[in-house]
């Protein structure tokens, strides 16, 4: 039998290669088509943040507006703070925006702060004290506690809505001052804002 020429062998080899690729592709297709499979899925994963909200009942009004103050004067008023949180949090009070006099008046305005229940911004009647947070502290000292970390109170708030009333008392105490030193305080003014802040635990 006569063998194919070298040229014929090359032609036959070139023709056989595409046929082999087609055949192999068909085998892979058949194998994929015939496979068993199974799946499982953990659906609905999502992430959302908690929230904290703090309000008071002052309706935008200052708690104290004292004019013509005299040595020995004093007063007490209340403010109700309400927390609304979806996570456990802590509320602290601190001071901001101090207005310091040039006569040390803020050293003689003494502040006492208590927390408790009952009473409101409109009327302190019914207030029941639970803790004394500040006792006869000069306004000047409170002005130094001007951030959450140095704040007072540490009211632990559970998730949900809860309230606490704060009674703030002041007195103009010039005990121990000479008459000349007291006279130096005439016509002076001082001031500060009290701020409550809630942070999640």
């Amino acid at each position: 039998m006569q063998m194919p020429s070298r040229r014929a062998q090359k032609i036959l080899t070139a023709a056989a290669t595409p046929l082999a690729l087609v055949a192999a592709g068909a085998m892979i297709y058949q194998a994929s088509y015939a496979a068993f499979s199974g799946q499982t899925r953990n659906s609905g994963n999502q992430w959302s943040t908690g929230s904290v909200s703090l309000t008071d009942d002052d309706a935008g009004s200052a708690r104290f507006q004292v004019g013509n103050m005299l040595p020995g004067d004093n007063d007490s008023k209340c403010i109700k703070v309400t927390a609304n949180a979806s996570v456990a949090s802590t509320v602290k009070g601190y001071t901001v925006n101090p207005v310091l006099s040039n006569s040390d008046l803020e050293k003689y305005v003494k502040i006492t702060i208590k927390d408790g229940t009952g009473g409101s911004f409109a009327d302190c009647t019914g207030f029941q004290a639970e803790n004394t947070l500040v006792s006869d502290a000069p306004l000047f000292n409170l002005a130094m506690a001007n951030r959450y970390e140095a704040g007072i109170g540490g009211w632990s708030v559970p998730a949900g809505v809860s309230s606490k009333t704060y009674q703030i008392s002041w007195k103009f105490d010039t005990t121990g001052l000479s008459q000349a030193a007291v006279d130096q305080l005439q016509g002076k003014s001082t001031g500060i804002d009290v701020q409550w802040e809630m942070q999640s635990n």
Side-chain angles (χ1 to χ4, degrees), residues 17 30-31 37-38 49 52 54 56 60 83 94 105 113-114 124 131 143 145 149 154 159 163 171:
T17 300
Q30 290 295 331
S37 68
T49 58
V52 296
L54 203 61
D56 63 51
Y94 56 95
L105 174 61
I113 302 176
K114 298 178 180 181
C124 221
N131 304 287
E149 292 74 16
S163 297
K171 63 181 179 181

Side-chain angles (χ1 to χ4, degrees), residues 40-120:
T40 185
R41 178 181 299 178
N42 171 235
S43 301
N45 298 298
Q46 63 178 7
W47 287 259
S48 60
T49 58
S51 63
V52 296
S53 173
L54 203 61
T55 58
D56 63 51
D57 63 344
D58 67 7
S61 300
R63 179 62 291 180
F64 296 105
Q65 285 286 315
V66 182
N68 297 318
M69 183 173 65
L70 299 172
D73 283 356
N74 62 86
D75 194 11
S76 292
K77 293 185 178 180
C78 291
I79 186 168
K80 183 178 180 180
V81 176
T82 299
N84 186 350
S86 67
V87 293
S89 305
T90 301
V91 175
K92 294 182 181 182
Y94 56 95
T95 60
V96 294
N97 301 329
V99 178
L100 304 180
S101 69
N102 58 0
S103 62
D104 290 338
L105 174 61
E106 52 278 355
K107 293 182 179 179
Y108 306 107
V109 177
K110 306 289 183 65
I111 303 294
T112 296
I113 302 176
K114 298 178 180 181
D115 69 8
T117 60
S120 67

